[in-house]
Amino acid sequence: MAAGIEIDHIPGSSRKAAFRRLTAIMRKEFLHIQRDPRTLLIIFILPIVMMLLFGYAVRLDVKNISLAVADRDNSAESRQLIRAFEQSGYYHITRVEHGDWDAHDIFLSGEAVAVLSVPVDYGRSLSEASPRPVQFMTDAAESNTATIAAQYAQQIVLQHTLATWDSMGLGHGRSGVGIRSVILFNPELESTFNIVPGLVAVLFMMACALLTSVTIVREKETGTLEQILVSPVNVGEIIIGKVLPYVILSSLLGILVVVFSMHHFHVPFEGRPVELALFSLVYLLCALSFGILISTKARTMQVALMIALISTMLPSVMLSGFIFPIASMPAPIQLITRLVPARYYLVIIRGIMLKGATMSDLQEPLIALGIFAFVVLTVSVKRFRASLE
Amino acid sequence: MTAETRWAVETHALTKRFGDFTAVDNVDLQVHKGEIFGFLGANGAGKTTTIRILCGLLRATSGQASVSGVNIMRHPEKVKPLLGYMSQKFSLYDDLRVIDNMIFFGGVYGLKWKPLKQRIDHVSGEIGLHHLLNRQVRGLPTGWKQRIALACAILHDPAIVFLDEPTGGVDPVSRRQFWDLIYGVADTGKTVFVTTHYMDEAEYCHRVAIMYQGRIVSCDTPHTIKAQSGDPTLEDAFIRLVSDRIRQEV
Amino acid sequence: MAQKPVDILAVGLQKQYGDIRALQGIDLSVTHGERFGLIGPDGAGKTTLIRVLCGLIRQDKGTFQVAGLDGMRSIRTIKSILGYMPQKFSLYPDLTVGENLRFFADLFHVIGAQRQSREERLLHFSRLGPFWKRRAGALSGGMKQKLALSCALIHTPAILILDEPTTGVDPVSRREFWEILRELSDRDGTTILVSTPYMDEATRCHRVGFMNEGRLLATDTPDNLIHGYPYRVIQVHGENLFPFRKALETIPGVRSVCALGEYLRVSTEKTDAVVHAIGDRLTHAGATGFRIRTVAPLLEDMFVNLLESGRVS
C-alpha cells in the first residue's frame, strides 16, 4: 500500500456530478449578474435606448427638409409643383421668390438646406416632348440628408410631370419619362426596419463577446479561476457554465427587441421565427468564441472591455452594413467587412424578417458564419486551455 | 512655524471616518525625534490610513496631528518636504536605471543638480548601492529594490522617514541587512516610523504602538509591553491585549 | 514501527519561466497526517511548487505523486481528493458566505444531507454562522481566511495544500487558524502542506522545508534544525547598543552581530571567551548597563546560516 488514502470511488467522475458542476457555475453566474445590476442594466437598457434613439431621433429617412423656392415661371403648373413638394411631407418651404437670387447665400445663412429653381416657361414646356428641367440644389454639408432630399425631389418632379400629362390627356408613352422606380420590401423606406435587425446583431455581439470576455477575465483577476481549477471541474464545464447564462439572457433580449419593434414600429416579420432562432445560434457561437479568445489575451477587465469594444462592437456597428451600406465602401474596406460576422448575420436576419427568406436563400451567409464559428471556437478553446498554464 | 519640539510626530484624538466606518479612532501618538518607532497591526487595522494622514495624503476627520512641529491639518503642503516615504510596493520605475530613479525622486523634491549629485553619491555610499547605479531596476532581487526605495526616500534628507511594510516578502538575511540600514538611518538623527505585521520584527524597534481596529491598544518599548503582560514574545502580548479589548467590548 | 505512507512525493521537480529558474530540482516527501511547512521568502519557489502539486501548472522535469497517484496521469482524481487554498483570497466577493460554500459543495458533488452536516461542522469551527448571509467581500481578513479554508475543506479532502494562508492576518486570527490546522491533522489525520513567510509558524509544523531560489535547502523537524545550528548565540541587552555593533564584529570567533531593538545578537563559535571579550569591548567603548547571556538559537538563525553558507559557496 503506497498511499494512506483509499480511493474507492472517485467523486466527480459521474455524469450527474458533471451536470451538478455545470449548473453550479451557471447559478453562480446569475448571482453575479444579480449582484451587480450594472451588467444587467447594460444588456437590458442599452439596446432599448438604442432602439428608441434610432427609431425616433436618428431616423435615416429625412423629413421636414427646409426648402427655398425660386419660382421664375410663376405659372399654374409651377405653383402646382411647389404644392406637390409641400404636400409630400418631406419638405418645409421657408421662402418663395420669383426673381433671381443666389442659392449660395441661402445655404450659408442656413435658411434652407435645399433650393428648388423652376425655370421660366416651365409650365408651357410641360406639354412639349421634353419639358424644361427644374433645378434642385442641396447643401451637401450634411451629405446623407442631401442625397435623400435629392432622391425625393426626383420622385416628386416625376410624379408631377406624369400627373400633368394625365390631366392633359397625354399618354404615358411620351419620350424620356418611362422610369418608375419601385421600392420593394420596405416601401415606406422606413429606416426602423433596417435598424432593428442591425440592433439585434450588435446586441448579440455585445452580450456574448463583451460580457463573456469580461466575466472570464474577472475570475482570472480575482484568482477564483485558479481556485475552481483545483476541483474536478474541467475547462469545458467552466466555459459552458460561464457562457450559457449570457446566451440565455441575450436570446431573451433578442426576442424582446424583435417583438417590441414589431409592435411599436410595425417592423414586419415575414419569415419563420424557428429559422431565425436556429441561425442566430450560429452567430451567437461566433460572438462567444470571440469573447473567449479575448479573455485569453486580456489580464484585466478594463483591457478585456477595450479589446471587445474595438474588435467586436465597433466593426459590428460600422462595417456590417448596419449603418453604412457595404456597397458604397471603398474596395479594401469591403474586403475587411468579409471578416465581420455581423455582416453575414445582417443578411440573414434582414432576409428572414423583411423578405421572408428561407434557408435556401441564405446558404452563402450561413456557410460563412459556420466557418467563422468553427475556426474561432477551435482557436479560442485551445488558447484558453493554454492560457491556464 | 517649525517651532522646536521634541516630538517627530504628535497626534491628539486623530480620527478618520469613511462613511460610517471609523478607520482611525481617537489616536494619540508621540514619537521621539531620532527613534525607530514601530507601528504594528493586521491588514485593515488602520495603519496605512494613519500614515497617509501623517504624510498629508489624506485629511483627518477630526483631531490634531503635527509632523516635525508642523501642523498637518493647517499646512499639509509644508509637511511633505520634511518627510520621506517608502511604500509597500517600493514604487520604483522598473524600466529606468537605479540612478535615473534617484535623479527623478530628487528632482521631485526640488533638489538642484549639484546638491542632488552629492546626495546621490552620499546616500549610495550609505546604503551600498554604488555598484548598482547603472543597472535597470527590473530584474534586481527584491532585497535590492527595497534598498533602492529606501535610498530614494531619504535622498532629500528628510527629518522623518515613513516606511510602510518595508520588509514584506524579503528573505531573512536581506531583512536583517535592511534593519541594519534602518539603524544606520536612525543613527544620523532621522526618525524612522515603520509599519509591519511581523511581530518578531517589532523587536527591532525602540518603541512600538499596537493598533487594532483603528485604536492604539498599547504604546511602549517592546521590553515594557512584554514585561507588563508577562508574555515571552510581543506576539503573545499582542494577542493578550487584543483579547482583553475584545472581552471589554463584549 | 510501521512506516507511514507517503501522501505527497516529489522527485526532481524543475520549472523555468523564461530566465527564472523557479524550481531547480525539488525532492520532497510528506507522510500521511503530517503538517509540513514550506518556509522561504517571496520568489523562493514556494508558490510554484504548490501550483505544480495541485496540477495548475506543469513542471518541466521531474515527477510527483499525490496519494500514490501519478501527478501527470491522474491529475483529475488528485484534484478531487485535494483541498487547495491559494495565497490570494480567491472566493467570490459579491457572493455571500453561504453561496460561496454551496458553490464549492456543488463543484465537488457534496450534496443533500452530507452537505448539510459538513456545512454545519465547518461553520462551527470557523464561527462564520452569524455571517452566513454576509457577502464575502465584506468580511474581515481573518474571517475571509477562515471562509476560504472552509471552502477548501467542504469535500473533506485527505490532503490540504495552503499557500501562505496567514499573510497579513492579525496575530489572533493567525493563532486561531493554526489551531484549526493542528486539529485537522492531529485529529482527522489530514495531511497538510503549508507555505509561510513567518518563521514562527514553522515551529507549529511537524517538519519544515527551508526554500530559497528554487531549492530546498534543508528539511527536518524544527527541533532538529535548531539543534543543527553550528554556532552559539549570545544576547546583549541594553539601551542604544547599535553603535557598538561594529566593535563586537572583530572579536575572534564572532560570526555575525545583528541589532535587534534593545538587543545585540551575536553568533559565535566559542562562548565563554567571547562573552568576556564582549563585556570588555563594550565597557571599553563606553557602554553601560548592559547584560550578556547565552540564549537558544532561533529557527531564523538556522535559516540565515543556510542562506549565507549557500551564498558563500
Side-chain angles (χ1 to χ4, degrees):
Chain A
M1 180 76 205
I5 299 140
E6 283 165 45
I7 301 151
D8 40 3
H9 93 288
I10 299 161
S13 57
S14 73
R15 203 167 275 181
K16 226 161 115 190
F19 184 71
R20 184 106 198 167
R21 290 195 294 266
L22 193 65
T23 50
I25 295 174
M26 285 179 61
R27 197 174 148 271
K28 175 185 74 70
E29 209 58 38
F30 278 117
L31 278 174
H32 285 316
I33 297 170
Q34 187 196 323
R35 288 295 141 78
D36 186 11
R38 281 174 303 177
T39 319
L40 208 63
L41 221 64
I42 292 171
I43 46 183
F44 268 98
I45 302 296
L46 203 72
I48 291 182
V49 169
M50 267 169 91
M51 191 156 59
L52 291 176
L53 211 70
F54 280 120
Y56 289 114
V58 198
R59 303 191 76 108
L60 294 184
D61 48 310
V62 185
K63 288 197 173 148
N64 280 323
I65 303 160
S66 53
L67 177 73
V69 183
D71 182 4
R72 281 178 227 154
D73 190 28
N74 202 9
S75 61
E77 288 83 1
S78 71
R79 282 192 294 273
Q80 231 171 20
L81 176 68
I82 294 163
R83 211 171 303 126
F85 267 88
E86 214 170 356
Q87 282 165 352
S88 70
Y90 296 120
Y91 297 96
H92 156 69
I93 293 172
T94 56
R95 167 172 169 189
V96 181
E97 291 275 344
H98 299 290
D100 250 340
W101 39 275
D102 195 352
H104 197 75
D105 292 338
I106 299 210
F107 291 151
L108 274 185
S109 70
E111 196 182 333
V113 295
V115 168
L116 174 71
S117 184
V118 187
V120 180
D121 281 348
Y122 169 75
R124 202 145 35 84
S125 72
L126 265 182
S127 53
E128 288 167 14
S130 51
R132 297 200 64 173
V134 296
Q135 191 188 29
F136 191 81
M137 281 176 285
T138 51
D139 175 5
E142 228 186 290
S143 58
N144 199 23
T145 313
T147 319
I148 292 168
Q151 277 169 8
Y152 290 149
Q154 239 170 348
Q155 287 280 321
I156 292 166
V157 174
L158 191 68
Q159 300 270 336
H160 177 252
T161 313
L162 291 171
T164 316
W165 284 343
D166 271 347
S167 65
M168 288 175 174
L170 295 167
H172 277 189
R174 298 188 65 107
S175 66
V177 218
I179 318 147
R180 195 167 235 199
S181 64
V182 180
I183 299 158
L184 287 173
F185 304 126
N186 184 0
E188 295 87 12
L189 278 174
E190 276 286 351
S191 51
T192 335
F193 290 11
N194 263 322
I195 293 301
V196 168
L199 205 55
V200 173
V202 173
L203 175 79
F204 282 168
M205 206 26 110
M206 183 177 77
C208 292
L210 200 144
L211 294 179
T212 301
S213 64
V214 168
T215 178
I216 296 178
V217 172
R218 173 167 63 180
E219 276 210 52
K220 269 208 265 183
E221 246 186 300
T222 55
T224 44
L225 191 61
E226 184 174 305
Q227 179 78 68
I228 60 177
L229 278 169
V230 185
S231 75
V233 80
N234 67 28
V235 170
E237 288 160 8
I238 293 176
I239 291 182
I240 296 170
K242 285 193 73 67
V243 146
L244 215 53
Y246 292 99
V247 174
I248 293 170
L249 265 185
S250 47
S251 305
L252 283 176
L253 214 60
I255 294 170
L256 194 80
V257 166
V258 169
V259 170
F260 179 78
S261 65
M262 285 166 67
H263 281 256
H264 203 76
F265 296 113
H266 308 288
V267 176
F269 200 119
E270 306 286 345
R272 284 191 301 190
V274 181
E275 274 180 325
L276 181 61
L278 272 176
F279 304 159
S280 295
L281 280 181
V282 184
Y283 177 63
L284 281 179
L285 205 62
C286 276
L288 291 172
S289 313
F290 270 115
I292 298 164
L293 196 61
I294 292 165
S295 77
T296 63
K297 285 279 159 205
R299 278 174 188 274
T300 64
M301 290 203 275
Q302 278 94 333
V303 174
L305 203 73
M306 282 301 296
I307 303 181
L309 271 176
I310 291 168
S311 67
T312 62
M313 284 279 291
L314 279 184
S316 303
V317 175
M318 314 292 274
L319 299 175
S320 62
F322 171 21
I323 294 188
F324 309 111
I326 291 170
S328 53
M329 291 175 188
I333 307 251
Q334 283 199 29
L335 266 180
I336 295 174
T337 65
R338 291 185 178 277
L339 294 173
V340 179
R343 176 205 160 123
Y344 305 105
Y345 183 65
L346 261 182
V347 176
I348 293 172
I349 184 169
R350 277 179 181 161
I352 293 177
M353 282 184 71
L354 306 180
K355 299 186 221 172
T358 59
M359 186 158 175
S360 54
D361 305 313
L362 301 169
Q363 271 171 3
E364 199 186 320
L366 262 176
I367 290 169
L369 266 191
I371 292 171
F372 248 105
F374 178 76
V375 172
V376 184
L377 187 68
T378 317
V379 173
S380 62
V381 171
K382 218 178 204 168
R383 283 263 166 116
F384 187 76
R385 268 180 219 277
S387 77
L388 294 179
E389 271 270 321
Chain B
M1 204 44 235
T2 45
E4 272 311 306
T5 158
R6 20 192 232 110
W7 308 118
V9 174
E10 194 180 7
T11 73
H12 288 298
L14 193 70
T15 300
K16 177 72 190 177
R17 288 192 200 92
F18 297 105
D20 54 1
F21 171 67
T22 309
V24 177
D25 193 357
N26 257 311
V27 164
D28 292 323
L29 274 182
Q30 276 152 349
V31 179
H32 299 277
K33 276 189 173 167
E35 79 175 336
I36 299 175
F37 188 82
F39 205 39
L40 315 183
N43 289 352
K47 289 178 304 193
T48 302
T49 310
T50 309
I51 286 203
R52 288 175 63 85
I53 294 173
L54 294 178
C55 291
L57 297 171
L58 206 65
R59 271 197 109 82
T61 313
S62 63
Q64 285 300 320
S66 59
V67 172
S68 282
V70 179
N71 184 320
I72 55 167
M73 314 301 269
R74 257 179 272 152
H75 310 283
E77 291 312 313
K78 280 195 185 155
V79 171
K80 287 181 184 171
L82 302 176
L83 56 88
Y85 174 72
M86 172 179 160
S87 90
Q88 232 163 325
K89 290 173 183 156
F90 306 155
S91 308
L92 297 168
Y93 296 94
D94 257 12
D95 49 341
L96 299 184
R97 292 176 306 166
V98 175
I99 186 147
D100 300 325
N101 270 284
M102 293 173 90
I103 292 172
F104 170 76
F105 282 105
V108 167
Y109 281 97
L111 278 136
K112 294 215 179 69
W113 183 241
K114 253 200 160 152
L116 174 59
K117 259 174 68 179
Q118 281 170 1
R119 278 298 291 170
I120 290 178
D121 198 50
H122 179 76
V123 170
S124 313
E126 225 174 311
I127 298 194
L129 288 176
H130 271 306
H131 63 295
L132 284 179
L133 284 179
N134 286 317
R135 289 271 299 274
Q136 200 180 331
V137 172
R138 180 176 299 142
L140 291 176
T142 323
W144 283 108
K145 286 187 187 168
Q146 178 197 39
R147 288 169 175 225
I148 299 161
L150 179 66
C152 290
I154 60 170
L155 209 51
H156 60 293
D157 205 8
I160 176 165
V161 200
F162 289 93
L163 308 175
D164 195 5
E165 307 260 350
T167 55
V170 171
D171 70 80
V173 175
S174 306
R175 197 160 72 131
R176 286 185 175 187
Q177 286 169 349
F178 190 73
W179 272 95
D180 255 14
L181 290 175
I182 294 181
Y183 281 115
V185 169
D187 234 27
T188 62
K190 293 189 195 341
T191 310
V192 181
F193 191 109
V194 55
T195 72
T196 178
H197 57 247
Y198 288 91
M199 283 301 141
D200 57 338
E201 202 164 82
E203 305 270 5
Y204 288 94
C205 303
H206 295 126
R207 286 199 311 139
V208 298
I210 294 175
M211 200 169 191
Y212 180 75
Q213 293 190 345
R215 291 186 207 163
I216 303 292
V217 184
S218 179
C219 180
D220 218 318
T221 64
H223 187 74
T224 316
I225 291 179
K226 284 185 290 185
Q228 276 172 357
S229 67
D231 288 303
T233 67
L234 211 52
E235 170 151 342
D236 291 303
F238 182 108
I239 289 170
R240 189 185 301 269
L241 286 163
V242 167
S243 313
D244 287 351
R245 183 53 72 98
I246 294 170
R247 221 166 294 134
Q248 277 169 29
E249 278 164 13
V250 175
Chain C
M1 207 174 82
Q3 190 85 20
K4 278 212 168 172
V6 174
D7 270 357
I8 299 173
L9 180 71
V11 183
L13 284 182
Q14 288 186 30
K15 177 77 190 176
Q16 192 155 347
Y17 293 107
D19 288 341
I20 301 159
R21 297 169 71 184
L23 298 180
Q24 308 196 40
I26 299 285
D27 298 316
L28 175 76
S29 80
V30 182
T31 53
H32 188 64
E34 187 174 33
R35 271 195 311 281
F36 189 95
L38 271 179
I39 319 285
D42 280 6
K46 303 188 302 276
T47 299
T48 308
L49 174 59
I50 282 178
R51 287 167 57 85
V52 167
L53 294 175
C54 290
L56 283 167
I57 49 174
R58 198 167 283 182
Q59 72 274 24
D60 299 334
K61 278 203 188 111
T63 57
F64 70 94
Q65 289 181 3
V66 175
L69 297 160
D70 182 86
M72 302 300 282
R73 264 173 291 147
S74 316
I75 196 67
R76 284 202 72 183
T77 317
I78 290 175
K79 283 179 180 180
S80 66
I81 53 171
L82 202 70
Y84 167 59
M85 185 172 152
Q87 186 174 359
K88 223 179 101 196
F89 175 71
S90 299
L91 298 175
Y92 300 95
D94 53 334
L95 264 54
T96 64
V97 168
E99 284 162 351
N100 268 299
L101 264 178
R102 174 145 184 225
F103 174 64
F104 283 97
D106 280 340
L107 284 191
F108 287 96
H109 206 241
V110 176
I111 47 171
Q114 200 183 27
R115 190 181 77 211
Q116 188 123 23
S117 74
R118 286 196 194 162
E119 274 176 2
E120 267 163 28
R121 219 188 111 206
L122 290 169
L123 287 178
H124 177 73
F125 91 71
S126 65
R127 280 180 264 151
L128 281 169
F131 305 102
W132 180 255
K133 285 198 169 157
R134 187 180 288 193
R135 291 190 191 180
L139 295 174
S140 75
M143 288 202 282
K144 275 183 188 166
Q145 232 71 21
K146 281 192 275 188
L147 176 59
L149 181 65
S150 301
C151 288
L153 289 175
I154 191 79
H155 57 299
T156 44
I159 299 164
L160 185 60
I161 298 184
L162 310 106
D163 194 4
E164 299 202 6
T166 54
T167 300
V169 172
D170 70 272
V172 180
S173 307
R174 210 149 70 97
R175 200 157 279 193
E176 274 180 15
F177 194 87
W178 275 93
E179 203 44 45
I180 295 168
L181 291 189
R182 197 184 56 78
E183 263 187 44
L184 276 171
S185 59
D186 289 355
R187 202 188 57 200
D188 304 346
T190 308
T191 307
I192 296 175
L193 176 68
V194 53
S195 76
T196 174
Y198 297 101
M199 277 305 144
D200 59 324
E201 288 188 345
T203 51
R204 297 171 184 272
C205 299
H206 297 126
R207 278 197 309 145
V208 169
F210 279 149
M211 229 181 145
N212 197 50
E213 291 173 350
R215 290 205 174 87
L216 263 173
L217 302 178
T219 309
D220 213 326
T221 64
D223 279 349
N224 285 349
L225 283 169
I226 291 174
H227 285 143
Y229 186 64
Y231 309 112
R232 300 296 194 78
V233 181
I234 298 167
Q235 192 163 281
V236 189
H237 180 225
E239 266 180 46
N240 290 327
L241 290 173
F242 179 73
F244 306 111
R245 183 191 48 144
K246 293 266 186 255
L248 304 187
E249 270 174 357
T250 50
I251 295 172
V254 168
R255 297 276 311 174
S256 68
V257 183
C258 157
L260 231 166
E262 302 157 312
Y263 304 96
L264 288 177
R265 278 175 78 85
V266 185
S267 300
T268 75
E269 279 155 12
K270 316 169 261 212
T271 8
D272 291 348
V274 173
V275 168
H276 285 115
I278 288 174
D280 290 349
R281 294 256 175 136
L282 285 175
T283 318
H284 188 71
T288 50
F290 55 84
R291 290 203 318 267
I292 305 173
R293 60 191 181 113
T294 44
V295 292
L298 298 168
L299 211 49
E300 176 165 321
D301 293 315
M302 182 58 186
F303 197 5
V304 168
N305 180 54
L306 283 168
L307 287 176
E308 275 172 346
S309 55
R311 260 166 217 184
V312 170
S313 70

